[in-house]
């Protein structure tokens, strides 16, 4: 073990200090090159030996003794009597047998390989890559495409502008924005709390400093969001501090972590959730009517401008999308809308749309309308102007990345063609043989018999968890590989204890981080945990496929192989674009003994600069090669929920609809401030924001007073899909009528047999999440028939103070523990 080795997590590079016994991490020191270290590092100490760890293979007794098959009791376990803990070899033998049976009787398409990829920042021990390589080698699997974060963007953006990954990786960098942008219009804000993380690991965190430099130079920042802190005020930083003593080390002068930040001008527009498109169209209306639209740019760089004009001016249907129309929907005064449109036309303006806006019904529309607004301003391709997607959504847009791809574990070619958009997992399991629309095609759900999940937790990020729990009862077998007893593990038949990144050797680095780091193991493996690679290799051996899976290498040999292959690719310029200098990397042994390598960056970036200069020579990848403000291809599909041009479509979950008469509060289920998704929910930083041991829900004081709710009260949030308990926080930083409950609290459905009958006797319904997971409330419907993205951002609810007995939170206590141990904590 290497007690003072650098390490990489999704939230930063750091050096962990082991505890006295060497079995866990006592504290962490952020990398000195990071100007704004993420407070999420405070969740790392103590994470190796937490009680929530899976300590040995665990199998649901009904499956072990009764064999595979659908089971309505899957997920409904009460105590250790419902689980058995056989030796590793016996479990691996049974899993190999089950894979043979499913492949023989149903075919490889009957296997669903579920993984969301966030389990580790390592390039080799990456849960998704490991699982998918294993399933590919063993015959193939049905896969998921796109993501919960950008499901709508990944489908609509390539059709109208560019791939979502292009906008993310080559967004205009913060140094360019700081120098040139005069007006930043941020739909959904720029929520700095989200920028602490990046898939694969973060290096520096430039967003806080970039916003500060914009303010310092006098740029005006307009945050269009129902939450004021979606664009933080001076000194707010990430919005949460790490617990004292857990994150140590001095930070560079002037970093957000020290609270030093210049003054600036931030205007908050508390828009009614789900109406941003109406505001954008009204601004376009002003630009057209007052002759402020850039007609030349629209003619030379765009197609479909006429269709947009016909819509907003009312020529298409008689309804003018003017500021007065938008005011009635958004709550933003018509005069302010018109003034902002005029200001945007007169100054260097960047229109940015956060990922949160497309995580709602008709989520394709705000992306499309944002592109259309920026195109009418005519500043796409200018320094500091144009359109962006995702600033404030993670630590990637605005970074200057490396010019080349980092190494990763090859997964092979999956011979199975069946797939689903990831947010359709419940439909996949509940509706085998049914058809679904996606990206202009029609597909059929296969009949899934074996689900294997690794390093992911759909009971965190999926919608309508009651429906998902029912879906998980349908397969013959559910296997989960995970370090912790997440809700997904509790709904499995077989739970395999995985190591964490602190317990294994790996290679860390991302393009946006521009740093390659040797991730040497810090602690021994916890209890009976094993690396996923070792587990899959053992099953592959039982299937006669070990050589194909391992290629004769153990895990450390793979780490060296990936590094040396990357080094050779650079030397031969295989992954370098023309004109980029070749970095010199040392041999693996020298690299492994060091603390990491900074790699050259691309430098300042102006998005779409080359396209603006010559749209013919630098065609976009859209069907026309130009910006498509209207799409003939999308229009030809005749989708009622995604027409051929951007428009505002009334969603079910919004404050102006009929449903709001019964459920009058709009809940925003956004990303948490104190953890990444649901990871480390039992970490110190995450626990520090809990209220009465539950996830905090923020209410406007006026909404709280009308319901007799006070600061710190336990409240019940409900609608016709479900309910949850949460701890009340009162704040004027929300639009009245809006409440905010972040995702990520581990799902803990009320069961009188587990939690005690008292709360049920007082009226708490079974299945109520006593910990505060908002996805018991959200609707399991897609953004549209085009993208089928997730819609978990908005949901209508009612809230009341809960005066009955408050059940204990058991989410972090393993189901294999004795009931008397659980009830006393």
């Amino acid at each position: 073990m290497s007690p003072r080795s650098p390490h990489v997590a999704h939230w930063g590079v750091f050096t962990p200090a082991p505890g006295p016994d060497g079995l866990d991490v006592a504290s962490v020191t952020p990398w000195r090159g990071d100007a704004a270290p993420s407070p999420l590092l405070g969740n790392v100490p103590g994470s190796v030996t937490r009680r929530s760890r899976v300590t040995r293979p665990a199998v649901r007794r009904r499956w072990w003794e009764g064999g595979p098959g659908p089971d309505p009791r899957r997920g409904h376990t009460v105590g250790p009597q419902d689980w058995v803990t056989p030796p590793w070899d016996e479990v691996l033998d049974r899993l190999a047998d089950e894979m043979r049976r499913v492949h023989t009787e149903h075919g490889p398409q009957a296997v669903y390989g579920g993984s969301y990829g966030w389990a580790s920042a390592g390039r080799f021990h990456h849960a998704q890559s490991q699982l998918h390589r294993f399933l590919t080698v063993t015959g193939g699997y049905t896969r998921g495409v796109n993501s919960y974060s950008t499901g709508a963007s990944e489908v609509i953006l390539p059709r109208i502008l560019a791939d979502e990954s292009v906008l993310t990786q080559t967004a205009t960098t913060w140094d360019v924005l700081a120098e040139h942008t005069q007006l930043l219009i941020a739909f959904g804000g720029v929520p700095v709390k989200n920028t602490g993380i990046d898939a694969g690991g973060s290096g520096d965190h430039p967003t806080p400093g970039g916003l500060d430099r914009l303010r310092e130079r006098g740029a005006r920042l307009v945050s269009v969001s129902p939450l004021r802190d979606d664009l933080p005020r001076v000194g707010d930083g990430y919005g949460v501090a790490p617990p004292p003593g857990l994150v140590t080390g001095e930070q560079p002068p002037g970093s957000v972590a020290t609270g030093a930040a210049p003054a600036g001008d931030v205007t908050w527009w508390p828009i009614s959730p789900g109406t941003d498109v109406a505001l954008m169209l009204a601004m376009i209306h002003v630009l057209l009517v007052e002759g402020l639209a850039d007609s030349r740019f629209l003619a030379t760089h765009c197609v479909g401008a006429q269709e947009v004009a016909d819509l907003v001016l009312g020529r298409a249907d008689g309804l003018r999308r003017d500021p007065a129309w938008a005011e009635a929907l958004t709550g933003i005064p018509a005069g302010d809308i018109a003034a902002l449109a005029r200001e945007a036309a007169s100054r260097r303006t960047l229109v940015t749309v956060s990922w949160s806006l497309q995580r709602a019904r008709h989520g394709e529309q705000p992306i499309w309308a944002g592109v259309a607004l920026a195109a009418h301003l005519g500043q796409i391709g200018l320094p500091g102007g144009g359109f962006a997607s995702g600033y404030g959504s993670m630590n990637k847009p605005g970074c200057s990345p490396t010019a080349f791809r980092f190494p990763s574990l090859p997964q092979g070619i999956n011979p199975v063609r069946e797939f689903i958009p990831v947010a359709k997992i419940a439909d996949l399991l509940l509706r085998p043989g049914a058809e679904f629309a996606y990206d202009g095609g029609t597909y059929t759900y296969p009949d899934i018999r074996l689900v294997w999940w690794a390093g992911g937790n759909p009971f965190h990020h999926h919608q309508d968890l009651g429906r998902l729990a029912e879906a998980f009862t349908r397969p013959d077998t559910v296997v989960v590989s995970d370090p912790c007893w997440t809700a997904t593990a509790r709904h499995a038949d077989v739970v395999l204890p995985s190591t964490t990144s602190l317990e294994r050797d790996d290679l860390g680095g991302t393009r946006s981080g521009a740093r390659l780091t040797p991730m040497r193991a810090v602690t021994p493996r916890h209890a009976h945990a094993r690396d996923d690679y070792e587990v899959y290799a053992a099953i592959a051996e039982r299937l006669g496929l070990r050589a194909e899976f391992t290629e004769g290498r153990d895990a450390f040999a793979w780490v060296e192989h990936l590094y040396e292959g990357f080094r050779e690719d650079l030397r031969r310029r295989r992954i370098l674009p023309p004109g980029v200098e070749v970095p010199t990397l040392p041999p693996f042994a020298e690299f492994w003994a060091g603390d990491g390598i900074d790699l050259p960056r691309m430098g300042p970036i102006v998005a779409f600069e080359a396209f603006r200069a010559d749209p013919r020579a630098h065609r976009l990848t859209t069907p026309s090669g130009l910006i498509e403000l209207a799409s003939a291809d999308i229009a030809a599909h005749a989708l009622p929920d995604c027409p051929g041009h951007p428009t505002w479509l009334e969603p079910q979950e919004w404050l102006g609809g009929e449903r709001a008469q019964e459920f009058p509060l709009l809940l925003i289920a956004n990303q948490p401030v104190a953890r990444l998704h649901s990871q480390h929910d039992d970490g110190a930083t995450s626990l520090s924001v809990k209220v009465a041991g539950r996830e905090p829900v923020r209410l406007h004081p006026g909404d709280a007073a009308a319901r007799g709710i006070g600061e710190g009260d336990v409240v019940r949030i409900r609608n016709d899909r479900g309910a949850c308990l949460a701890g009340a926080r009162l704040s004027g930083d929300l639009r009245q009528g809006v409440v905010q409950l972040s995702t990520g609290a581990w799902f803990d459905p009320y069961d009188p047999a587990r939690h005690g009958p008292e709360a049920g006797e007082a009226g708490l319904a079974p299945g109520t999440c006593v910990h505060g997971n908002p996805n018991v409330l959200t609707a399991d419907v897609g953004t549209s028939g085009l993208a089928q993205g997730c819609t978990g951002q908005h949901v209508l609810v009612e809230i009341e103070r809960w005066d009955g007995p408050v059940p204990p939170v058991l989410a972090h206590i393993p189901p294999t523990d004795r009931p008397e141990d659980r009830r006393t904590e």
Side-chain angles (χ1 to χ4, degrees):
M1 305 303 158
S2 303
R4 300 299 295 176
S5 296
H7 207 75
V8 182
H10 300 302
W11 40 89
V13 178
F14 62 95
T15 301
D21 57 6
L23 300 180
D24 210 327
V25 172
S27 63
V28 299
T29 302
W31 175 47
R32 287 191 57 83
D34 191 348
S38 170
L40 301 190
L41 290 171
N43 286 320
V44 174
S47 60
V48 174
T49 59
R50 284 193 193 122
R51 189 172 180 180
S52 59
R53 288 294 302 270
V54 183
T55 58
R56 61 187 310 130
V59 186
R60 201 166 54 88
R61 184 180 297 276
R62 289 167 63 93
W63 186 91
W64 187 255
E65 296 177 354
D71 190 342
R73 295 295 301 168
R74 186 177 286 132
H76 293 275
T77 57
V78 176
Q81 69 274 11
D82 297 311
W83 296 87
V84 295
T85 55
W88 264 110
D89 282 346
E90 292 184 23
V91 174
L92 297 177
D93 288 344
R94 287 286 292 270
L95 287 176
D97 290 343
E98 177 63 355
M99 292 195 72
R100 288 191 193 95
R101 183 191 72 83
V102 171
H103 278 242
T104 300
E105 297 180 6
H106 306 286
Q109 79 285 345
V111 177
Y112 181 71
S115 174
Y116 208 50
W118 281 98
S120 170
R123 306 301 301 178
F124 174 69
H125 289 290
H126 177 249
Q128 185 182 72
S129 300
Q130 290 284 345
L131 176 63
H132 290 177
R133 177 181 174 87
F134 166 68
L135 294 179
T136 294
V137 165
T138 53
Y141 62 100
T142 294
R143 71 195 193 281
V145 298
N146 303 335
S147 74
Y148 280 83
S149 297
T150 56
S153 296
E154 289 175 75
V155 176
I156 190 69
L157 276 171
R159 291 173 171 271
I160 64 173
L161 185 61
D163 285 351
E164 186 276 330
S165 60
V166 172
L167 269 78
T168 300
Q169 287 283 7
T170 59
T172 300
T173 46
W174 279 108
D175 52 353
V176 175
L177 300 180
E179 182 179 354
H180 295 281
T181 302
Q182 297 172 313
L183 174 62
L184 175 69
I185 306 176
F187 291 92
V190 182
V192 170
K193 66 178 175 63
N194 299 334
T195 66
I197 62 99
D198 183 17
S202 293
D204 191 17
H205 291 87
T207 300
L211 286 171
D212 287 346
R213 288 192 296 274
L214 272 173
R215 295 183 180 110
E216 188 175 39
R217 193 173 51 78
R220 193 158 93 91
L221 283 62
V222 178
S223 179
V224 183
S225 170
L227 308 179
R228 184 193 295 273
D229 49 11
D230 268 348
L231 207 166
R233 292 166 290 194
V234 173
D236 285 353
Y238 289 106
V240 62
L246 290 184
V247 176
T248 60
E250 297 179 1
Q251 300 310 318
S255 72
V256 169
T258 68
D265 181 12
V266 179
T267 303
W268 177 36
W269 281 21
I271 193 170
S272 180
T275 64
D276 300 77
V277 173
L279 176 57
M280 297 174 190
L281 296 177
M283 291 179 67
I284 294 173
H285 184 280
V286 174
L287 296 176
L288 291 172
V289 168
E290 299 187 9
L292 300 175
D294 190 330
S295 57
R296 183 182 179 194
F297 184 85
L298 293 172
T300 57
H301 291 73
C302 307
V303 296
Q306 188 61 55
E307 288 92 329
V308 173
D310 289 344
L311 175 78
V312 300
L313 297 177
R315 295 194 292 254
D317 57 7
L319 176 63
R320 295 171 62 87
R321 273 73 171 179
D322 59 12
W325 166 80
E327 178 180 353
L329 298 172
T330 65
I332 305 298
D336 291 348
I337 296 173
L340 184 62
R342 297 178 192 121
E343 182 183 359
S346 67
R347 308 182 71 187
R348 183 60 56 83
T349 301
L350 178 72
V351 175
T352 177
V353 180
S354 77
W355 291 351
S356 61
L357 269 63
Q358 53 93 67
R359 293 184 61 248
R361 190 74 173 123
H362 313 129
E364 297 85 356
Q365 301 307 311
I367 297 293
W368 207 349
V371 171
L373 174 58
H376 281 77
L377 292 171
Q379 299 185 32
I380 293 175
L382 292 178
F387 171 81
S389 171
Y391 286 112
S393 297
M394 65 190 305
N395 191 42
K396 189 168 285 182
C399 294
S400 179
T402 59
F404 38 81
R405 299 183 305 276
F406 272 37
S408 60
L409 179 67
Q411 299 174 36
I413 299 175
N414 181 8
V416 172
R417 298 296 90 194
E418 282 84 352
F419 73 94
I420 60 164
V422 291
K424 304 303 286 183
I425 176 62
D427 281 359
L428 169 71
L429 301 180
L430 291 169
R431 303 175 60 211
E435 292 186 340
F436 67 95
Y438 170 75
D439 200 13
T442 301
Y443 304 90
T444 302
Y445 294 119
D447 186 3
I448 299 297
R449 299 305 181 103
L450 169 63
V451 172
W452 199 312
W453 221 282
N457 184 13
F459 281 87
H460 146 63
H461 53 244
H462 195 69
Q463 286 67 66
D464 195 346
L465 294 184
R467 185 170 188 260
L468 182 65
E470 179 189 355
F472 262 62
T473 69
R474 299 302 178 89
D476 294 344
T477 299
V478 178
V479 184
V480 169
S481 304
D482 204 286
C484 298
W485 277 103
T486 65
T488 305
R490 295 166 192 261
H491 284 78
D493 298 305
V494 182
V495 183
L496 304 176
S498 301
T499 53
T500 69
S501 66
L502 294 162
E503 301 160 62
R504 58 201 182 209
D505 295 325
D506 209 336
L507 181 66
T510 59
R511 287 190 64 195
S512 54
R515 184 172 176 82
L516 201 62
T517 304
M519 295 170 61
R520 299 184 288 273
V522 177
T523 72
R525 293 177 177 179
H526 179 62
H528 296 274
R530 293 186 181 181
D531 298 345
D532 288 349
Y533 178 75
E534 179 183 356
V535 173
Y536 301 149
I539 299 174
E541 182 172 21
R542 286 162 168 80
L543 298 173
L545 297 167
R546 182 182 181 91
E548 289 84 347
F549 178 73
T550 68
E551 298 183 20
R553 301 183 186 94
D554 63 15
F556 189 75
W558 265 108
V559 173
E560 180 174 5
H561 174 73
L562 293 179
Y563 175 87
E564 288 293 356
F566 176 64
R567 182 169 172 250
E568 180 66 9
D569 285 343
L570 289 179
R571 189 180 70 82
R572 294 179 177 270
R573 299 193 62 86
R574 291 174 180 152
I575 55 175
L576 281 171
V580 175
E581 182 180 352
V582 180
T584 301
L585 301 186
F588 178 76
E590 182 180 341
F591 164 77
W592 192 250
D595 290 335
I597 301 171
D598 287 321
L599 296 165
R601 295 178 180 265
M602 293 174 63
I605 297 173
V606 176
F608 300 105
E609 184 175 35
F611 168 71
R612 180 184 185 87
D614 191 339
R616 293 183 179 274
H618 301 280
R619 288 171 51 90
L620 302 178
T621 54
T622 63
S624 64
L626 302 173
I627 301 170
E628 300 218 354
L629 306 185
S631 167
D633 182 52
I634 294 176
H637 299 310
L639 298 170
D641 51 6
C642 189
H645 52 71
T647 191
W648 184 75
L649 301 170
E650 181 176 351
Q652 184 184 38
E653 307 281 345
W654 81 294
L655 290 171
E658 292 184 7
R659 184 173 168 80
Q661 300 302 310
E662 182 178 3
F663 303 109
L665 298 174
L666 192 290
L667 186 149
I668 294 179
N670 63 355
Q671 291 297 324
V673 69
R675 60 183 172 268
L676 165 59
H677 301 321
S678 65
Q679 287 193 39
H680 293 308
D681 184 44
D682 52 352
T685 301
S686 178
L687 293 175
S688 72
V689 304
K690 304 277 186 182
V691 177
R694 272 145 258 273
E695 195 65 14
V697 58
R698 290 198 299 170
L699 301 89
H700 189 279
D703 293 323
R707 292 163 174 79
I709 295 171
E711 178 74 18
D713 284 348
V714 174
V715 298
R716 176 167 59 180
I717 311 170
R718 61 175 177 81
N719 62 15
D720 51 356
R721 297 185 194 98
C724 65
L725 300 182
R729 290 289 191 207
L730 275 54
S731 173
D733 288 343
L734 303 90
R735 175 192 172 100
Q736 192 157 359
V738 171
V739 297
Q740 177 259 315
L741 176 67
S742 292
T743 62
W746 286 9
F747 180 45
D748 193 1
Y750 174 64
D751 182 342
R754 295 176 59 240
H755 296 90
E758 299 82 7
E761 293 167 356
L764 196 70
T768 297
C769 180
V770 304
H771 194 197
N773 189 316
N775 279 323
V776 295
L777 306 160
T778 51
D780 189 11
V781 296
T783 53
S784 78
L786 183 72
Q788 300 286 7
C790 116
T791 59
Q793 184 78 7
H794 297 161
V795 60
L796 289 167
V797 301
E798 181 57 286
I799 300 183
E800 63 225 359
R801 190 177 66 226
W802 173 251
D803 293 323
V806 180
V809 173
L810 305 179
H812 302 143
I813 301 175
T816 50
D817 284 11
R818 296 175 302 170
E820 56 267 30
D821 292 339
R822 298 202 309 273
R823 293 296 304 280
T824 58
E825 296 213 359

